[in-house]
Amino acid sequence: MARMLRDDDLPQRKVEKLLRINSVLIDRIDRLEETRGSAWSMFQAAVALEQEVLARTRQLEKAMADLSQRNRELAVARASAEEANRSKTRFLRAASHDLLQPLSAARLFLSALSDTQLDENQQELAQRLSGAFESVEQLMHAVLDISRLDSQRIEFHRQPVQVNDLFRRLAIEFAPVAEAKGLRLSFVPTHAVVESDPVFLRRIAQNLISNAIKYSNRGGVLVGIRKRGPMGWLHVYDTGVGIPAVDRNRIFDEFQRLNHDTATPGMGLGLSIVRRACNKLGHPIRLESEAMRGTVFRVGLPLVEARTEPRRKDPPDAAILALRGRVALVVENDAGMRHGYEMILRDRLGMVARLSGGTDEALATMGEEPPDVIVADYSLENGDTGLTAIRALRERAGREVPAVMVTAHRDASVNRGCAALGVPILAKPIRPAELTEILGQLLG
């Protein structure tokens, strides 16, 4: 700048130069001020942003702490719910034996009463009693089935099931019910063998057939199986009132019933059990219906190759004749049940009934002469079980004495124990016809 001012410049020239220099300096100063202001603004913005980040971080930390607390509370609530569910399952498991025990005894006594000479009024009373016990039995089985199917720890025992054997047992069970309504109940003979849990497959078929009979007021019910590729489709046809399209999803919910005046009373649990069991077992289920023309339910079951041809079954009268004079050793801790067994085995089947209340008493009752068959209840006194009794009696006899287990328990451990001994299971409350059939199979 000093070079720009010369000594020989006129004063006016010097003033002009100084004004330009001053203008340049002022401009530089203004630019420096603007730059410093921008940096200061950025600094202030950075400080504000940092404070905002800190505030949001504190809020996030608080939210995470709240979420962690909620998760802990949820875990505690879930654990409590699971424990409550386990307690409910244990209660139902324990209560099922105590509740079904008197029902079993009552059914045996009622069956023995029906075998006696009754007048018309007494026969009607016996039928009404039988219907009342049937309703209570269905309710108990429905509650227990739903409890088991809702459990996450349920175990299924898939195995080959002879469909014809299943049909034969269902025919024995439902023929009187269909006959009482004037319906034809027919089962198509088959050699098909399917893979499923035999207990739950029977419950599925029972509920479908019961539902078909309930909602049919004329005609009949037809049950059969059709092979389609690797699947065998269990069909249950009826000529009932049909199911409207708007109700076809609702009927699978609990306590849902169709509003038909012709329908007999029910609980609305049967189809709910069918859907639960089919979903758990992976069996597809189909429904077709036409108003006032009837309904068909189809359940898909995996086919398996039969290793042996199903043996021909003896007629019921022949099975009863084969039981006459044979010795049955009963192991049952309930006095009422023992008396009921005695009446059925002795009076209806003509067998010799030896009665005992537990393993030790059964061994003393048997002595040195083994029975022809053992009928044992699973739940005995003081931790004793029917499995223990059967093992001890077979060991004393030195051979595999035929045996049948009667139980209200539906535990997988009971099924495994019976399977290991080759012992069939009868679920309580037992039906005299089923007891007769299984004894005929064991001794025929």
Side-chain angles (χ1 to χ4, degrees):
M1 292 182 187
R3 294 175 186 174
M4 294 179 65
L5 292 175
R6 297 170 62 178
D7 294 338
D8 56 352
D9 285 339
L10 296 175
Q12 182 65 30
R13 179 66 177 168
K14 288 181 178 180
V15 169
E16 292 176 356
K17 288 183 176 181
L18 286 173
L19 287 174
R20 285 198 297 269
I21 292 171
N22 186 52
S23 177
V24 170
L25 289 175
I26 291 173
D27 184 62
R28 286 184 179 180
I29 290 172
D30 288 341
R31 286 200 300 270
L32 288 172
E33 286 295 330
E34 289 178 0
T35 304
R36 188 179 69 173
S38 176
W40 175 250
S41 297
M42 291 179 61
F43 173 74
Q44 287 182 321
V47 171
L49 181 61
E50 182 181 9
Q51 291 175 345
E52 184 72 15
V53 169
L54 289 174
R56 295 294 180 267
T57 301
R58 286 192 292 270
Q59 291 175 355
L60 180 60
E61 289 174 348
K62 184 177 184 302
M64 292 293 292
D66 291 341
L67 179 60
S68 178
Q69 178 64 24
R70 296 294 181 274
N71 285 337
R72 285 193 293 270
E73 293 174 356
L74 181 61
V76 171
R78 181 176 179 179
S80 299
E82 290 176 348
E83 178 58 30
N85 187 58
R86 286 192 293 268
S87 298
K88 177 201 70 174
T89 302
R90 287 194 297 268
F91 169 77
L92 288 173
R93 198 176 291 165
S96 63
H97 177 267
D98 294 335
L99 291 172
L100 292 175
Q101 188 83 327
L103 283 178
S104 292
R107 183 178 285 280
L108 292 176
F109 290 135
L110 186 59
S111 178
L113 176 64
S114 300
D115 291 338
T116 62
Q117 294 293 329
L118 301 176
D119 60 34
E120 185 176 344
N121 184 51
Q122 291 170 333
Q123 289 177 357
E124 181 182 357
L125 289 174
Q127 291 173 357
R128 289 183 179 275
L129 281 172
S130 180
F133 281 120
E134 189 75 24
S135 297
V136 174
E137 178 185 345
Q138 289 178 359
L139 178 59
M140 283 299 304
H141 281 305
V143 171
L144 294 172
D145 285 341
I146 289 178
S147 174
R148 289 189 67 199
L149 290 168
D150 284 345
S151 172
Q152 298 299 319
R153 302 177 61 184
I154 187 173
E155 293 184 31
F156 292 106
H157 294 273
R158 300 174 184 269
Q159 61 188 59
V161 179
Q162 294 275 359
V163 178
N164 218 43
D165 289 349
L166 173 65
F167 284 176
R168 184 170 42 80
R169 297 182 69 184
L170 292 170
I172 293 173
E173 179 177 354
F174 286 102
V177 183
E179 184 179 353
K181 290 195 69 174
L183 301 172
R184 297 185 307 275
L185 176 60
S186 303
F187 291 84
V188 180
T190 178
H191 294 318
V193 181
V194 299
E195 183 184 79
S196 185
D197 182 292
V199 174
F200 277 101
L201 178 57
R202 185 179 181 191
R203 295 297 294 156
I204 290 170
Q206 282 175 322
N207 283 305
L208 290 178
I209 295 171
S210 174
N211 202 67
I213 294 174
K214 183 184 302 180
Y215 287 99
S216 296
N217 214 34
R218 57 177 178 76
V221 176
L222 177 65
V223 184
I225 191 164
R226 287 184 177 179
K227 297 180 181 180
R228 293 290 185 270
M231 302 287 285
W233 287 86
L234 173 68
H235 289 62
V236 180
Y237 298 88
D238 69 60
T239 56
V241 294
I243 303 172
V246 295
D247 292 327
R248 290 177 192 171
N249 288 325
R250 179 177 66 86
I251 60 169
F252 288 101
D253 296 332
E254 296 87 349
F255 306 107
Q256 296 295 325
R257 298 179 60 245
L258 298 180
N259 295 321
H260 292 299
D261 294 336
T262 57
T264 56
M267 297 166 291
L269 294 174
L271 292 181
S272 173
I273 293 170
V274 169
R275 182 179 64 177
R276 278 177 162 89
C278 286
N279 288 342
K280 290 277 188 176
L281 288 164
H283 297 336
I285 183 169
R286 305 284 185 267
L287 163 63
E288 294 178 13
S289 186
E290 186 175 350
M292 306 313 295
R293 296 288 298 275
T295 302
V296 55
F297 283 92
R298 298 181 175 90
V299 177
L301 307 168
L303 289 169
V304 296
E305 186 177 352
R307 296 183 179 179
T308 58
E309 196 70 17
R311 65 183 181 87
R312 182 180 61 84
K313 301 298 180 182
D314 294 330
D317 291 342
I320 293 177
L321 288 174
L323 297 177
R324 294 195 182 281
R326 310 296 286 273
V327 177
L329 178 53
V330 176
V331 188
E332 168 61 69
N333 62 307
D334 184 80
M337 281 293 294
R338 287 199 300 270
H339 188 44
Y341 278 127
E342 183 180 26
M343 295 178 68
I344 295 299
L345 295 173
R346 182 192 63 197
D347 300 336
R348 172 178 286 195
L349 304 180
M351 300 182 71
V352 177
R354 297 179 181 174
L355 308 176
S356 63
T359 299
D360 294 338
E361 188 179 349
L363 290 170
T365 301
M366 184 181 80
E368 299 301 324
E369 184 179 351
D372 295 301
V373 67
I374 302 167
V375 179
D377 189 273
Y378 178 77
S379 297
L380 304 173
E381 299 290 345
N382 301 320
D384 195 7
T385 68
L387 291 174
T388 302
I390 292 172
R391 290 192 194 98
L393 291 168
R394 285 178 169 180
E395 183 178 356
R396 170 73 66 84
R399 62 183 178 87
E400 297 291 312
V401 179
V404 58
M405 183 69 69
V406 180
T407 180
H409 291 285
R410 303 184 179 195
D411 293 351
S413 59
V414 177
N415 294 334
R416 286 193 295 267
C418 290
L421 293 178
V423 176
I425 297 176
L426 272 181
K428 288 184 178 180
I430 63 173
R431 301 170 184 270
E434 290 183 350
L435 179 62
T436 301
E437 179 194 4
I438 201 165
L439 291 177
Q441 292 177 6
L442 293 173
L443 299 179

